[in-house]
Amino acid sequence: MPPDVDLKRLHWRAHHRGTKEADLLIGGFFDAHHRQWGSDERALFEEMLSEQDVDIMAWAHGTAIPPARFAGPMTEVLKKLDYVPVSR
């Protein structure tokens, strides 16, 4: 878990969404990418966490277009889905 208090809070919020699917997608995205984020990316991710899980998941799956404030590099990486663990 990240040592920074703000990162700990973001980690908790990303991993405790209410459904296992959202926890895996949003929490997995956080785990895979938070180390590269600066303060702007952290703020954007925190803002994204205020959105409904079904919306975030639809943006990731490409079935909905994110609001303009989320359009950009973070959402493009979110769409890759390479951070979600898959059991085989």
Side-chain angles (χ1 to χ4, degrees), residues 15 20-32 80-88:
H15 283 275
K20 185 67 170 177
E21 294 84 0
D23 292 349
L24 289 171
L25 189 142
I26 299 167
F29 178 73
F30 173 85
D31 290 346
K80 290 183 179 180
L81 297 174
D82 58 355
Y83 49 85
V84 178
V86 177
S87 298
R88 298 195 200 250

Side-chain angles (χ1 to χ4, degrees), residues 1 3 7 11-13 19 23 28 30-32 35 37-39 45 50-51 53-54 60 67 71 79 85 87-88:
M1 184 153 0
L7 281 178
H11 177 273
W12 194 91
R13 289 184 63 202
T19 66
D23 292 349
F30 173 85
D31 290 346
R35 287 173 201 82
W37 294 343
S39 59
F45 184 72
S50 297
E51 299 294 322
D53 293 347
V54 293
K79 288 179 181 180
S87 298
R88 298 195 200 250

Side-chain angles (χ1 to χ4, degrees), residues 39-60:
S39 59
D40 290 344
E41 290 89 1
R42 282 188 193 186
L44 183 62
F45 184 72
E46 184 168 17
E47 186 178 347
M48 189 180 286
L49 291 177
S50 297
E51 299 294 322
Q52 296 293 317
D53 293 347
V54 293
D55 294 332
I56 298 169
M57 293 174 75
W59 305 336

